[in-house]
Amino acid sequence: MEETNINILSEQFDLYMKKGKEARAKGNVSLAKRNFLLASETMMQMAKQSQGKLKAVRMERARGLVKISENLQKAPEKTGKSDKKQDEEDDDLKKWQAAQIPNISFDDVAGLEDVKKAITIKMINPTKYPEKYKMYGKKTGGGVLLYGPPGTGKTMIAKAIANEVGAKFYAVKGSDIVSKWVGDSEKNINSLFEEANKQERAIIFIDEMDSLIGKRGLDTHNDKRVNEFLQQIDGFAGRNPNLLLLGATNRPWDIDSAAMRSGRFSQKIYLPLPDAPARKFMIEKNMKGVPVTKNFDVDKIVTQTEKYSGADLEELCDRAKDEPLLKAIATDKVVLVSNADFDRVLDEMPPSVTEKEIAEFEKYNEEINGYIKKRTKKQS
Ligand SMILES: Nc1ncnc2c1ncn2[C@@H]1O[C@H](COP(=O)(O)OP(=O)(O)OP(=O)(O)O)[C@@H](O)[C@H]1O
Ligand SMILES: [Mg+2]
């Protein structure tokens, strides 16, 4: 999986910080907020590529920036909206449309056949076989919610969907809509749907759905967002067959239950931890082209990593390369990666998703979809 070079990220971070500080000095709160949040997001990406203490420091810095942006005071509202504010909101809307869709396809995504199939039926085949769809009176578009533990590929598959489906892709994070536009978020949900509805074919992808539409009754801002969201989703469901709403969350139980009802998110798909073939695929992908010992045994690692998520496997492979790489630098020779390198990292790297969390997901999945994925049974 391609990562943005740390130097590029660092440059981006400096730029966002500079813009954020300039905007703050000029009293342009929304622009300052936006840039500090972008800086925070960039710092988070840098943290994800780091390890140990540096990782912790970077995560802390990223969180600190969210706080800074939250604490910025809104300038006193004048009556009527200035052109400038409107321009900014328009810019925000444009930003939602993924500028460059990363080069990820379904073939890069291990397993997750249910999701691939659902998207193929709802969005890819209708354009390929319109007369067949007509003949069967098959409905297209609608809402699909992806849920599962962290690091199981929800965000990744959304990006792959954007590539596979030749549609306009609006990607937003629930937490972004909420933190950028406290009080304004209902209006922005509305304009997001409006904008997407104008397109011939569009996908709205809302990541971290739980932070956008939490259970009602605890927070008035949230309740307003939920009501707006329900209106929007009811408005487009059945009306625009070319609009797909894709939501992702790792806290599905926090989402307001009315939004989960059939006809809204008519399909709710569980993304479990990867099974053995999926793990093998991911380990091989992460080790592609890397010099390994002759007797390097991928299947052994597959067996050792039963409860590891895709994100864990990525980190595992990355960390296993550390020591051979350092030795290669020190000796200026090719040092092969071996199973021992993996054993060493595995000793100090437990799976990030706990048994308790997995149980919680499987229970939830059973309640929602009426069955539990018999994933583990299939494994050797
Ligand atoms: N099914 C998969 N196939 C290939 N790679 C995967 C898969 N699942 C996870 N990964 C790897 O793990 C990384 C993290 O996955 P991703 O960000 O999509 O997780 P997520 O489910 O969105 O997690 P979160 O709930 O924390 O947002 C990806 O960049 C990818 O390298
Ligand atoms: Mg994600």
Side-chain angles (χ1 to χ4, degrees):
M1 142 105 225
E2 101 273 20
E3 299 248 21
T4 314
N5 183 299
I6 203 96
N7 292 329
I8 299 177
L9 287 175
S10 168
E11 270 176 38
Q12 271 176 357
F13 173 78
D14 290 343
L15 187 68
Y16 290 139
M17 286 303 289
K18 186 165 162 266
K19 285 189 182 167
K21 284 176 189 167
E22 278 170 16
R24 184 172 56 187
K26 286 185 192 149
N28 188 340
V29 173
S30 61
L31 191 64
K33 268 184 190 254
R34 193 160 87 218
N35 277 292
F36 286 135
L37 283 169
L38 287 168
S40 163
E41 229 168 72
T42 314
M43 184 48 70
M44 200 47 107
Q45 280 181 44
M46 289 167 71
K48 280 190 183 151
Q49 293 185 34
S50 337
Q51 279 148 35
K53 200 159 171 215
L54 182 60
K55 182 173 197 147
V57 169
R58 286 181 165 161
M59 303 261 287
E60 196 43 48
R61 181 94 201 264
R63 285 193 207 104
L65 282 165
V66 174
K67 285 229 172 69
I68 289 179
S69 100
E70 278 170 0
N71 289 339
L72 284 170
Q73 287 304 312
K74 252 200 157 165
E77 281 280 343
K78 297 193 192 92
T79 45
K81 195 182 285 172
S82 71
D83 289 351
K84 203 163 157 225
K85 184 150 190 265
Q86 186 63 55
D87 282 353
E88 270 172 27
E89 274 181 16
D90 292 349
D91 278 355
D92 280 327
L93 259 180
K94 279 182 207 131
K95 257 178 83 343
W96 289 353
Q97 199 176 318
Q100 2 77 297
I101 292 169
N103 204 12
I104 299 174
S105 74
F106 276 177
D107 289 341
D108 296 312
V109 181
L112 308 185
E113 301 307 331
D114 294 355
V115 192
K116 292 177 187 168
K117 190 171 161 198
I119 300 302
T120 307
I121 292 176
K122 278 179 184 287
M123 290 300 277
I124 300 175
N125 283 349
T127 20
K128 279 194 191 159
Y129 314 103
E131 54 314 317
K132 294 253 179 346
Y133 270 69
K134 210 168 160 208
M135 186 197 289
Y136 285 88
K138 174 77 191 148
K139 286 196 183 109
T140 59
V144 175
L145 183 75
L146 310 175
Y147 65 93
T152 46
K154 298 180 291 298
T155 302
M156 184 186 190
I157 199 155
K159 290 176 181 169
I161 289 168
N163 265 342
E164 299 282 341
V165 179
K168 286 248 182 189
F169 192 73
Y170 296 86
V172 284
K173 255 194 221 158
S175 57
D176 266 7
I177 302 189
V178 175
S179 58
K180 269 188 203 160
W181 300 292
V182 176
D184 271 351
S185 17
E186 309 88 75
K187 215 165 51 239
N188 286 284
I189 293 173
N190 175 308
S191 47
L192 172 63
F193 276 87
E194 230 169 52
E195 183 67 27
N197 255 315
K198 281 188 215 151
Q199 309 301 330
E200 208 178 308
R201 281 159 67 71
I203 295 179
I204 296 179
F205 171 54
I206 305 182
D207 209 349
E208 301 174 10
M209 198 76 213
D210 49 285
S211 45
L212 185 70
I213 48 165
K215 289 210 182 314
R216 277 173 292 183
L218 299 167
D219 163 12
T220 51
H221 286 307
N222 175 67
D223 297 358
K224 282 190 195 157
R225 284 195 302 272
V226 175
N227 291 333
E228 179 61 37
F229 187 83
L230 294 179
Q231 273 185 30
Q232 288 299 334
I233 196 168
D234 287 346
F236 96 81
R239 205 158 47 82
N240 185 350
N242 295 316
L243 179 61
L244 179 79
L245 174 69
L246 194 60
T249 178
N250 54 30
R251 304 194 55 78
W253 38 80
D254 284 349
I255 294 180
D256 191 83
S257 46
M260 301 292 267
R261 211 195 64 198
S262 293
R264 287 167 179 161
F265 281 116
S266 54
Q267 226 163 338
K268 296 169 266 287
I269 306 179
Y270 179 41
L271 279 73
L273 291 171
D275 61 10
R279 293 202 299 280
K280 185 164 182 174
F281 176 97
M282 283 187 250
I283 296 164
E284 282 176 342
K285 193 171 132 215
N286 281 295
M287 297 305 287
K288 198 170 167 205
V290 177
V292 295
T293 54
K294 234 189 193 149
N295 57 357
F296 183 70
D297 185 355
V298 176
D299 290 321
K300 182 182 170 207
I301 307 170
V302 170
T303 323
Q304 287 170 310
T305 50
E306 200 186 318
K307 301 277 159 56
Y308 287 71
S309 71
D312 290 343
L313 293 175
E314 196 179 41
E315 190 179 340
L316 168 68
C317 294
D318 196 57
R319 280 168 65 174
K321 295 169 193 168
D322 279 350
E323 235 168 70
L325 174 65
L326 283 175
K327 276 192 205 145
I329 293 169
T331 58
D332 201 19
K333 289 196 180 115
V334 177
V335 179
L336 305 175
V337 180
S338 70
N339 279 88
D341 294 310
F342 277 83
D343 293 343
R344 196 181 47 248
V345 180
L346 279 169
D347 275 348
E348 54 192 45
M349 194 189 139
S352 60
V353 187
T354 63
E355 297 275 351
K356 193 169 157 253
E357 286 163 331
I358 300 173
E360 220 172 344
F361 273 106
E362 301 216 316
K363 182 168 164 263
Y364 179 83
N365 185 41
E366 191 181 35
E367 277 162 17
I368 287 286
N369 285 321
Y371 68 97
I372 303 179
K373 280 250 164 311
K374 305 269 186 309
R375 181 184 66 78
T376 43
K377 296 255 164 63
K378 279 192 234 133
Q379 286 174 16
S380 49

